[in-house]
Amino acid sequence: MSDTQPSPTTVSNPVIPGFHPDPSICRVGEDYYLACSSFEYFPGVPVFHSRDLVHWTQIGNALDRPEQLRLPADSPSSGGIYAPTLRHHDGRFWLIVTNVSADGNLLVTATDPAGPWSDPVLLPGVRGIDPDLAWDADGTCWCTVAGVSQIRLDPRTGETFGQARRLWSGMPGAKAPEAPHLYRIGDWWYLLIAEGGTERCHGVSVARARTPEGPFEPCPANPVLTHRGTDRPVQNTGHADLVQAPDGSWWMVLLGVRPGGGTPGWHVLGRETFLTPVTWVDDWPVVGEVTLDLPAPPWPLVPGPAEPVRDDFDPGGLRPQWISLRDRPAEHCTTAERSGWLTLHARGGSLDEPDVVFVGRRQQHPTCEARTLIDAAQGRGGLAVRLDEEHHYEVEASGTEVRLLSRIGPLRTVVASRAVPAGPVVLGVRVSGTPLRDARTGPDVVTLGFEGPDGTFTGLGTLDGRYLSTEVAGGFTGRVIGMYAATGTVHFDWFDYEPLTP
């Protein structure tokens, strides 16, 4: 009797769940690498590795030093870092990206995508978001930006040559032509763009030319991908990038959302990274269906290491999944002060403040639980579910009191409070689904509370999840769950995160 397990016929989509938008991908040999937008969070631009296009492991962040990533304290949420392009050329990895809150377009390089990445080369001659890099056969580098326009660039120095030229801006009258990617495939140069805006009308269109400078002819089947006007579970599909597998097949990574609840449908995890196959007909790409259950690719799957439920904050720094708001000075965030604990020294007075000391991770599952053991004897802090400064829920400990706080738009409320014994206390957040009652039903509910000495969870309140959604708050990000300090010094012994069965 064989112990060999049959290969799965489907795999789960999204392949990188949670707030991981604007994916850009490249392949080196049998390895794939992918980068995403990070907006107001530090470190910036998460970088992932895969051997099968399905299982992805975060290996670092491209912008993980203050000299690489300047996010001033007054940078708005959903500002910061927009839409990287990741490419491999001439033995190096090249990543070009826009910092809309400070330095404009910049470029960093690395020989190892896990880092370290170089100090940035600033690109004052490149104007426009969503920059792309492509090299011609003679080594000429072309930079294409949203709009859509193109300029010749020396990526090593940042020097540009000539004036930017308009190329092709998608379907006549279409909103927001952006996310351009230029490729040489066979005898053609293809220009892939997003259009329609990153909301429900998002889509992908393509044009081709014999040279990278055009003129470009549009695909007669444009948009080659959109879910606008459908009831499919994945919406807002767009901002795509192409990659070829070693077997010659082609694949597309793209962003999409999973709205829930009634009308208009609320997505809370942000824009996520999906995968779909691509075939070619008459030298045009034909995009496969974007589904939650994707037909497995025709090669062995190579799962990466399982992410542990618990982080014990061992000395030596934080894992790359941990993100903070705008910066992370060592004097405010360290694992070295108390061995085996994360220590946060407060700066901003609450999550309403843009400079609050916060360390979180993206919510990646529609139903999940997060827990942490906090020692707030010398301060005040807690466990929060955050979308931005005006939309967050938190359970906060201070001395012998635990309280539940809610910020929705201009309203900040102490929902409930409870006395607890002095000493460290376990705080918890549970996100769960809710039955669809009518068109107004929200996508989920968030229960926040604490655990007693016997491990019994006491919920201080259950709050409607719609208020921590993009459809309510606006912007480009998704939920982040994490720890914060509001006053004094707060220590965290461990942090657990795990999905729950719906």
Side-chain angles (χ1 to χ4, degrees), residues 177-404:
E178 57 191 10
H181 289 307
L182 185 64
Y183 319 86
R184 175 67 183 267
I185 300 173
D187 295 330
W188 295 95
W189 284 87
Y190 291 89
L191 178 61
L192 192 74
I193 73 166
E195 60 182 14
T198 195
E199 302 83 24
R200 293 292 193 269
C201 288
H202 212 196
V204 177
S205 289
V206 66
R208 68 187 183 189
R210 293 297 185 182
T211 74
E213 300 172 272
F216 285 88
E217 61 169 308
C219 176
N222 278 334
V224 293
L225 172 64
T226 187
H227 282 185
R228 63 184 68 140
T230 72
D231 62 357
R232 294 177 182 175
V234 183
Q235 291 291 324
N236 302 33
T237 51
H239 205 117
D241 202 2
L242 293 171
V243 67
Q244 188 176 23
D247 69 350
S249 63
W250 284 87
W251 297 79
M252 174 181 283
V253 292
L254 65 143
L255 68 79
V257 307
R258 292 180 281 173
T263 298
W266 296 270
H267 75 276
V268 301
L269 302 186
R271 299 169 299 161
E272 308 175 274
T273 291
F274 289 81
L275 177 71
T276 194
V278 173
T279 55
W280 295 84
V281 176
D282 296 329
D283 290 327
W284 289 112
V286 178
V287 182
E289 187 176 358
V290 182
T291 61
L292 295 177
D293 293 313
L294 175 73
W299 49 71
L301 299 180
V302 188
E307 185 177 342
V309 169
R310 174 160 295 186
D311 193 327
D312 276 315
F313 302 123
D314 297 325
L318 294 173
R319 296 173 181 166
Q321 293 87 350
W322 290 108
I323 51 179
S324 297
L325 290 167
R326 299 171 181 84
D327 64 5
R328 189 190 289 161
E331 62 267 26
H332 290 285
C333 175
T334 179
T335 57
E337 186 168 318
R338 181 189 287 190
S339 182
W341 293 67
L342 172 67
T343 298
L344 303 182
H345 296 284
R347 185 174 52 186
S350 75
L351 283 163
D352 300 347
E353 305 298 327
D355 62 343
V356 66
V357 176
F358 173 84
V359 177
R361 54 153 295 153
R362 295 160 171 88
Q363 180 184 333
Q364 293 188 272
H365 303 86
T367 59
C368 63
E369 178 181 68
R371 302 163 62 243
T372 188
L373 177 62
I374 180 175
D375 179 355
Q378 298 173 296
R380 176 169 54 88
L383 179 63
V385 185
R386 178 189 189 272
L387 198 66
D388 60 26
E389 282 79 19
E390 296 180 354
H391 301 85
H392 50 84
Y393 301 150
E394 56 261 40
V395 55
E396 186 173 89
S398 175
T400 58
E401 182 186 47
V402 173
R403 57 183 188 162
L404 169 58

